[in-house]
mmCIF file of all heavy atoms in Angstrom:
data_model
loop_
_atom_site.group_PDB
_atom_site.id
_atom_site.type_symbol
_atom_site.label_atom_id
_atom_site.label_comp_id
_atom_site.label_asym_id
_atom_site.label_seq_id
_atom_site.Cartn_x
_atom_site.Cartn_y
_atom_site.Cartn_z
ATOM 1 N N ALA O 15 1.878 8.089 -4.219
ATOM 2 C CA ALA O 15 3.211 7.435 -4.374
ATOM 3 C C ALA O 15 3.827 7.771 -5.775
ATOM 4 O O ALA O 15 4.969 8.045 -5.746
ATOM 5 C CB ALA O 15 3.055 5.986 -4.226
ATOM 6 N N MET O 16 3.053 7.816 -6.753
ATOM 7 C CA MET O 16 3.605 8.236 -8.042
ATOM 8 C C MET O 16 4.087 9.581 -8.219
ATOM 9 O O MET O 16 4.979 9.964 -8.879
ATOM 10 C CB MET O 16 2.514 7.902 -9.138
ATOM 11 C CG MET O 16 2.125 6.405 -9.304
ATOM 12 S SD MET O 16 3.640 5.365 -9.784
ATOM 13 C CE MET O 16 3.796 5.905 -11.495
ATOM 14 N N ALA O 17 3.399 10.459 -7.349
ATOM 15 C CA ALA O 17 3.754 11.835 -7.359
ATOM 16 C C ALA O 17 4.945 12.212 -6.382
ATOM 17 O O ALA O 17 5.396 13.307 -6.392
ATOM 18 C CB ALA O 17 2.665 12.801 -6.966
ATOM 19 N N THR O 18 5.348 11.195 -5.688
ATOM 20 C CA THR O 18 6.470 11.379 -4.663
ATOM 21 C C THR O 18 7.854 11.211 -5.375
ATOM 22 O O THR O 18 8.126 10.232 -6.065
ATOM 23 C CB THR O 18 6.436 10.343 -3.535
ATOM 24 O OG1 THR O 18 5.131 10.428 -2.968
ATOM 25 C CG2 THR O 18 7.433 10.487 -2.544
ATOM 26 N N PRO O 19 8.665 12.291 -5.277
ATOM 27 C CA PRO O 19 10.048 12.213 -5.993
ATOM 28 C C PRO O 19 10.836 10.960 -5.396
ATOM 29 O O PRO O 19 10.644 10.594 -4.298
ATOM 30 C CB PRO O 19 10.739 13.533 -5.614
ATOM 31 C CG PRO O 19 9.532 14.366 -5.211
ATOM 32 C CD PRO O 19 8.493 13.532 -4.603
ATOM 33 N N PRO O 20 11.631 10.339 -6.317
ATOM 34 C CA PRO O 20 12.411 9.280 -5.848
ATOM 35 C C PRO O 20 13.164 9.379 -4.609
ATOM 36 O O PRO O 20 13.265 8.488 -3.743
ATOM 37 C CB PRO O 20 13.349 9.002 -7.043
ATOM 38 C CG PRO O 20 12.581 9.538 -8.214
ATOM 39 C CD PRO O 20 11.871 10.678 -7.764
ATOM 40 N N GLU O 21 13.738 10.625 -4.424
ATOM 41 C CA GLU O 21 14.590 10.842 -3.250
ATOM 42 C C GLU O 21 13.767 10.832 -1.911
ATOM 43 O O GLU O 21 14.319 10.662 -0.807
ATOM 44 C CB GLU O 21 15.410 12.152 -3.322
ATOM 45 C CG GLU O 21 14.502 13.402 -3.431
ATOM 46 C CD GLU O 21 14.130 13.772 -4.801
ATOM 47 O OE1 GLU O 21 14.221 12.836 -5.771
ATOM 48 O OE2 GLU O 21 13.590 14.877 -5.024
ATOM 49 N N GLN O 22 12.425 10.930 -2.019
ATOM 50 C CA GLN O 22 11.552 10.955 -0.902
ATOM 51 C C GLN O 22 10.912 9.620 -0.596
ATOM 52 O O GLN O 22 10.121 9.540 0.364
ATOM 53 C CB GLN O 22 10.488 11.988 -0.960
ATOM 54 C CG GLN O 22 11.012 13.472 -1.046
ATOM 55 C CD GLN O 22 9.870 14.508 -1.206
ATOM 56 O OE1 GLN O 22 8.736 14.217 -0.873
ATOM 57 N NE2 GLN O 22 10.268 15.731 -1.643
ATOM 58 N N ARG O 23 11.300 8.617 -1.504
ATOM 59 C CA ARG O 23 10.594 7.347 -1.247
ATOM 60 C C ARG O 23 11.341 6.408 -0.140
ATOM 61 O O ARG O 23 10.896 5.282 -0.034
ATOM 62 C CB ARG O 23 10.571 6.622 -2.670
ATOM 63 C CG ARG O 23 9.614 7.306 -3.578
ATOM 64 C CD ARG O 23 9.641 6.685 -4.972
ATOM 65 N NE ARG O 23 8.734 7.444 -5.876
ATOM 66 C CZ ARG O 23 8.681 7.195 -7.115
ATOM 67 N NH1 ARG O 23 9.416 6.207 -7.669
ATOM 68 N NH2 ARG O 23 7.959 7.845 -7.946
ATOM 69 N N LYS O 24 12.350 6.962 0.393
ATOM 70 C CA LYS O 24 13.058 6.293 1.437
ATOM 71 C C LYS O 24 12.735 6.897 2.845
ATOM 72 O O LYS O 24 13.412 6.490 3.810
ATOM 73 C CB LYS O 24 14.606 6.236 1.262
ATOM 74 C CG LYS O 24 14.949 5.540 -0.063
ATOM 75 C CD LYS O 24 16.405 5.512 -0.231
ATOM 76 C CE LYS O 24 16.875 4.675 -1.548
ATOM 77 N NZ LYS O 24 18.267 4.674 -1.790
ATOM 78 N N THR O 25 11.826 7.777 2.930
ATOM 79 C CA THR O 25 11.476 8.437 4.140
ATOM 80 C C THR O 25 10.510 7.478 4.923
ATOM 81 O O THR O 25 9.829 6.661 4.497
ATOM 82 C CB THR O 25 10.785 9.775 3.902
ATOM 83 O OG1 THR O 25 9.584 9.572 3.097
ATOM 84 C CG2 THR O 25 11.662 10.655 3.094
ATOM 85 N N PRO O 26 10.355 7.802 6.293
ATOM 86 C CA PRO O 26 9.486 7.052 7.140
ATOM 87 C C PRO O 26 8.063 7.206 6.619
ATOM 88 O O PRO O 26 7.232 6.366 6.794
ATOM 89 C CB PRO O 26 9.697 7.668 8.429
ATOM 90 C CG PRO O 26 11.043 8.161 8.494
ATOM 91 C CD PRO O 26 11.289 8.682 7.101
ATOM 92 N N GLU O 27 7.704 8.526 6.090
ATOM 93 C CA GLU O 27 6.334 8.755 5.701
ATOM 94 C C GLU O 27 5.925 7.872 4.505
ATOM 95 O O GLU O 27 4.839 7.340 4.328
ATOM 96 C CB GLU O 27 6.226 10.209 5.317
ATOM 97 C CG GLU O 27 6.350 11.217 6.526
ATOM 98 C CD GLU O 27 7.719 11.405 6.966
ATOM 99 O OE1 GLU O 27 8.714 11.006 6.255
ATOM 100 O OE2 GLU O 27 7.909 12.036 7.986
ATOM 101 N N PHE O 28 6.956 7.661 3.538
ATOM 102 C CA PHE O 28 6.573 6.864 2.462
ATOM 103 C C PHE O 28 6.418 5.365 2.821
ATOM 104 O O PHE O 28 5.638 4.657 2.318
ATOM 105 C CB PHE O 28 7.721 6.958 1.308
ATOM 106 C CG PHE O 28 7.299 6.432 0.077
ATOM 107 C CD1 PHE O 28 6.605 7.047 -0.861
ATOM 108 C CD2 PHE O 28 7.705 5.139 -0.294
ATOM 109 C CE1 PHE O 28 6.272 6.478 -2.064
ATOM 110 C CE2 PHE O 28 7.388 4.527 -1.483
ATOM 111 C CZ PHE O 28 6.542 5.274 -2.350
ATOM 112 N N ALA O 29 7.352 4.927 3.778
ATOM 113 C CA ALA O 29 7.235 3.561 4.300
ATOM 114 C C ALA O 29 5.861 3.371 4.904
ATOM 115 O O ALA O 29 5.238 2.293 4.804
ATOM 116 C CB ALA O 29 8.287 3.432 5.320
ATOM 117 N N GLU O 30 5.344 4.262 5.643
ATOM 118 C CA GLU O 30 3.976 4.270 6.270
ATOM 119 C C GLU O 30 2.895 4.054 5.210
ATOM 120 O O GLU O 30 1.883 3.378 5.236
ATOM 121 C CB GLU O 30 3.658 5.317 7.188
ATOM 122 C CG GLU O 30 4.317 5.305 8.477
ATOM 123 C CD GLU O 30 3.999 3.926 9.160
ATOM 124 O OE1 GLU O 30 2.842 3.737 9.373
ATOM 125 O OE2 GLU O 30 4.856 3.296 9.808
ATOM 126 N N LEU O 31 3.119 4.861 4.042
ATOM 127 C CA LEU O 31 2.220 4.931 2.991
ATOM 128 C C LEU O 31 2.215 3.588 2.215
ATOM 129 O O LEU O 31 1.137 2.995 1.961
ATOM 130 C CB LEU O 31 2.666 5.931 1.864
ATOM 131 C CG LEU O 31 1.591 6.267 0.806
ATOM 132 C CD1 LEU O 31 0.391 6.972 1.404
ATOM 133 C CD2 LEU O 31 2.227 7.204 -0.343
ATOM 134 N N GLU O 32 3.340 2.904 2.147
ATOM 135 C CA GLU O 32 3.421 1.593 1.512
ATOM 136 C C GLU O 32 2.893 0.547 2.365
ATOM 137 O O GLU O 32 2.266 -0.386 1.919
ATOM 138 C CB GLU O 32 4.830 1.233 1.116
ATOM 139 C CG GLU O 32 4.930 0.016 0.420
ATOM 140 C CD GLU O 32 6.322 -0.179 -0.432
ATOM 141 O OE1 GLU O 32 7.333 -0.066 0.272
ATOM 142 O OE2 GLU O 32 6.262 -0.368 -1.624
ATOM 143 N N LYS O 33 3.065 0.659 3.682
ATOM 144 C CA LYS O 33 2.509 -0.230 4.647
ATOM 145 C C LYS O 33 0.917 -0.111 4.578
ATOM 146 O O LYS O 33 0.277 -1.228 4.602
ATOM 147 C CB LYS O 33 2.936 0.186 6.118
ATOM 148 C CG LYS O 33 2.435 -0.781 7.141
ATOM 149 C CD LYS O 33 3.005 -0.366 8.478
ATOM 150 C CE LYS O 33 2.445 -1.313 9.620
ATOM 151 N NZ LYS O 33 2.918 -0.916 11.030
ATOM 152 N N GLU O 34 0.329 1.009 4.413
ATOM 153 C CA GLU O 34 -1.123 1.083 4.355
ATOM 154 C C GLU O 34 -1.598 0.459 3.077
ATOM 155 O O GLU O 34 -2.606 -0.130 2.953
ATOM 156 C CB GLU O 34 -1.463 2.634 4.359
ATOM 157 C CG GLU O 34 -3.061 2.756 4.307
ATOM 158 C CD GLU O 34 -3.472 4.159 4.240
ATOM 159 O OE1 GLU O 34 -2.629 5.066 4.336
ATOM 160 O OE2 GLU O 34 -4.706 4.356 4.173
ATOM 161 N N TYR O 35 -0.793 0.732 2.011
ATOM 162 C CA TYR O 35 -1.111 0.218 0.638
ATOM 163 C C TYR O 35 -1.136 -1.389 0.790
ATOM 164 O O TYR O 35 -2.204 -2.053 0.327
ATOM 165 C CB TYR O 35 -0.048 0.546 -0.336
ATOM 166 C CG TYR O 35 -0.289 -0.014 -1.756
ATOM 167 C CD1 TYR O 35 -1.003 0.697 -2.633
ATOM 168 C CD2 TYR O 35 0.228 -1.255 -2.145
ATOM 169 C CE1 TYR O 35 -1.282 0.270 -3.856
ATOM 170 C CE2 TYR O 35 0.142 -1.778 -3.505
ATOM 171 C CZ TYR O 35 -0.745 -0.889 -4.292
ATOM 172 O OH TYR O 35 -0.997 -1.470 -5.578
ATOM 173 N N LEU O 36 -0.192 -2.044 1.451
ATOM 174 C CA LEU O 36 -0.284 -3.443 1.582
ATOM 175 C C LEU O 36 -1.394 -3.952 2.457
ATOM 176 O O LEU O 36 -2.007 -4.935 2.203
ATOM 177 C CB LEU O 36 1.188 -3.950 2.175
ATOM 178 C CG LEU O 36 2.289 -3.598 1.313
ATOM 179 C CD1 LEU O 36 3.627 -4.027 2.058
ATOM 180 C CD2 LEU O 36 2.220 -4.253 -0.110
ATOM 181 N N THR O 37 -1.689 -3.143 3.375
ATOM 182 C CA THR O 37 -2.795 -3.540 4.300
ATOM 183 C C THR O 37 -4.044 -3.483 3.549
ATOM 184 O O THR O 37 -4.983 -4.401 3.718
ATOM 185 C CB THR O 37 -2.937 -2.524 5.525
ATOM 186 O OG1 THR O 37 -1.670 -2.589 6.287
ATOM 187 C CG2 THR O 37 -4.110 -2.871 6.364
ATOM 188 N N CYS O 38 -4.280 -2.517 2.716
ATOM 189 C CA CYS O 38 -5.480 -2.372 1.912
ATOM 190 C C CYS O 38 -5.559 -3.509 0.879
ATOM 191 O O CYS O 38 -6.642 -4.159 0.581
ATOM 192 C CB CYS O 38 -5.446 -1.045 1.024
ATOM 193 S SG CYS O 38 -5.888 0.347 2.059
ATOM 194 N N MET O 39 -4.430 -3.933 0.248
ATOM 195 C CA MET O 39 -4.360 -5.015 -0.586
ATOM 196 C C MET O 39 -4.803 -6.404 0.079
ATOM 197 O O MET O 39 -5.552 -7.132 -0.531
ATOM 198 C CB MET O 39 -2.866 -5.207 -1.272
ATOM 199 C CG MET O 39 -2.559 -4.064 -2.189
ATOM 200 S SD MET O 39 -3.486 -4.146 -3.741
ATOM 201 C CE MET O 39 -2.686 -5.548 -4.542
ATOM 202 N N ASP O 40 -4.331 -6.515 1.199
ATOM 203 C CA ASP O 40 -4.626 -7.741 1.935
ATOM 204 C C ASP O 40 -6.152 -7.660 2.337
ATOM 205 O O ASP O 40 -6.822 -8.759 2.386
ATOM 206 C CB ASP O 40 -3.830 -7.849 3.254
ATOM 207 C CG ASP O 40 -2.367 -8.119 3.043
ATOM 208 O OD1 ASP O 40 -2.089 -8.682 1.910
ATOM 209 O OD2 ASP O 40 -1.491 -7.954 3.879
ATOM 210 N N SER O 41 -6.575 -6.508 2.675
ATOM 211 C CA SER O 41 -8.022 -6.493 3.037
ATOM 212 C C SER O 41 -8.890 -6.792 1.855
ATOM 213 O O SER O 41 -9.898 -7.538 1.893
ATOM 214 C CB SER O 41 -8.282 -5.018 3.523
ATOM 215 O OG SER O 41 -9.747 -4.847 3.773
ATOM 216 N N MET O 42 -8.553 -6.287 0.765
ATOM 217 C CA MET O 42 -9.361 -6.523 -0.554
ATOM 218 C C MET O 42 -9.270 -8.043 -0.873
ATOM 219 O O MET O 42 -10.255 -8.487 -1.321
ATOM 220 C CB MET O 42 -8.731 -5.589 -1.602
ATOM 221 C CG MET O 42 -9.686 -5.593 -2.927
ATOM 222 S SD MET O 42 -9.221 -4.156 -3.918
ATOM 223 C CE MET O 42 -7.544 -4.400 -4.281
ATOM 224 N N GLU O 43 -8.156 -8.619 -0.722
ATOM 225 C CA GLU O 43 -8.059 -10.008 -1.046
ATOM 226 C C GLU O 43 -8.880 -10.869 -0.044
ATOM 227 O O GLU O 43 -9.592 -11.826 -0.545
ATOM 228 C CB GLU O 43 -6.537 -10.507 -0.848
ATOM 229 C CG GLU O 43 -6.415 -11.993 -1.267
ATOM 230 C CD GLU O 43 -4.989 -12.412 -1.225
ATOM 231 O OE1 GLU O 43 -4.253 -11.928 -2.173
ATOM 232 O OE2 GLU O 43 -4.605 -13.142 -0.287
ATOM 233 N N ALA O 44 -8.928 -10.462 1.131
ATOM 234 C CA ALA O 44 -9.754 -11.092 2.196
ATOM 235 C C ALA O 44 -11.338 -11.041 1.836
ATOM 236 O O ALA O 44 -12.065 -11.945 1.936
ATOM 237 C CB ALA O 44 -9.617 -10.620 3.510
ATOM 238 N N VAL O 45 -11.734 -9.822 1.281
ATOM 239 C CA VAL O 45 -13.115 -9.671 0.862
ATOM 240 C C VAL O 45 -13.407 -10.646 -0.351
ATOM 241 O O VAL O 45 -14.425 -11.310 -0.354
ATOM 242 C CB VAL O 45 -13.363 -8.242 0.381
ATOM 243 C CG1 VAL O 45 -14.715 -8.123 -0.269
ATOM 244 C CG2 VAL O 45 -13.367 -7.371 1.688
ATOM 245 N N ARG O 46 -12.471 -10.724 -1.232
ATOM 246 C CA ARG O 46 -12.715 -11.586 -2.434
ATOM 247 C C ARG O 46 -12.717 -13.031 -1.994
ATOM 248 O O ARG O 46 -13.543 -13.892 -2.540
ATOM 249 C CB ARG O 46 -11.587 -11.349 -3.437
ATOM 250 C CG ARG O 46 -11.672 -10.081 -4.204
ATOM 251 C CD ARG O 46 -10.662 -10.058 -5.278
ATOM 252 N NE ARG O 46 -10.966 -8.817 -6.194
ATOM 253 C CZ ARG O 46 -10.192 -7.806 -6.272
ATOM 254 N NH1 ARG O 46 -9.063 -7.709 -5.602
ATOM 255 N NH2 ARG O 46 -10.401 -6.875 -7.012
ATOM 256 N N ILE O 47 -11.901 -13.536 -1.023
ATOM 257 C CA ILE O 47 -11.901 -14.924 -0.631
ATOM 258 C C ILE O 47 -13.232 -15.213 0.023
ATOM 259 O O ILE O 47 -13.801 -16.290 -0.218
ATOM 260 C CB ILE O 47 -10.654 -15.143 0.372
ATOM 261 C CG1 ILE O 47 -9.389 -15.112 -0.465
ATOM 262 C CG2 ILE O 47 -10.844 -16.436 1.028
ATOM 263 C CD1 ILE O 47 -8.158 -15.281 0.509
ATOM 264 N N ARG O 48 -13.706 -14.307 0.865
ATOM 265 C CA ARG O 48 -15.052 -14.526 1.489
ATOM 266 C C ARG O 48 -16.090 -14.639 0.462
ATOM 267 O O ARG O 48 -16.993 -15.476 0.569
ATOM 268 C CB ARG O 48 -15.331 -13.409 2.452
ATOM 269 C CG ARG O 48 -14.576 -13.316 3.786
ATOM 270 C CD ARG O 48 -15.261 -12.517 4.833
ATOM 271 N NE ARG O 48 -15.231 -11.107 4.421
ATOM 272 C CZ ARG O 48 -14.276 -10.227 4.733
ATOM 273 N NH1 ARG O 48 -13.126 -10.632 5.351
ATOM 274 N NH2 ARG O 48 -14.553 -9.026 4.285
ATOM 275 N N PHE O 49 -16.014 -13.887 -0.663
ATOM 276 C CA PHE O 49 -17.084 -13.877 -1.679
ATOM 277 C C PHE O 49 -16.973 -15.256 -2.283
ATOM 278 O O PHE O 49 -18.044 -15.845 -2.544
ATOM 279 C CB PHE O 49 -16.834 -12.712 -2.613
ATOM 280 C CG PHE O 49 -17.840 -12.644 -3.751
ATOM 281 C CD1 PHE O 49 -18.989 -11.895 -3.437
ATOM 282 C CD2 PHE O 49 -17.848 -13.402 -4.874
ATOM 283 C CE1 PHE O 49 -20.008 -11.807 -4.419
ATOM 284 C CE2 PHE O 49 -18.826 -13.328 -5.815
ATOM 285 C CZ PHE O 49 -19.954 -12.496 -5.579
ATOM 286 N N VAL O 50 -15.768 -15.640 -2.669
ATOM 287 C CA VAL O 50 -15.656 -17.021 -3.391
ATOM 288 C C VAL O 50 -16.204 -18.063 -2.582
ATOM 289 O O VAL O 50 -16.956 -18.938 -3.120
ATOM 290 C CB VAL O 50 -14.173 -17.299 -3.686
ATOM 291 C CG1 VAL O 50 -13.950 -18.703 -4.115
ATOM 292 C CG2 VAL O 50 -13.636 -16.256 -4.672
#
């Protein structure tokens, strides 16, 4: 994402990348909650 030029951050591909990022964040939070 950081290497992606600003003009390419509105593409469907970047949207999918951000969607995967959010999914990973949610998954990591779920692991932490289970541990707690």
Side-chain angles (χ1 to χ4, degrees):
M16 294 297 290
T18 302
E21 63 273 13
Q22 294 182 21
R23 292 176 185 173
K24 295 182 180 180
T25 63
E27 291 78 12
F28 192 83
E30 284 299 313
L31 192 69
E32 186 159 57
K33 183 178 179 181
E34 183 185 359
Y35 181 88
L36 297 177
T37 299
C38 287
M39 291 290 287
D40 290 340
S41 175
M42 191 161 58
E43 182 174 288
V45 171
R46 287 191 170 106
I47 289 174
R48 287 197 298 271
F49 186 92
V50 172

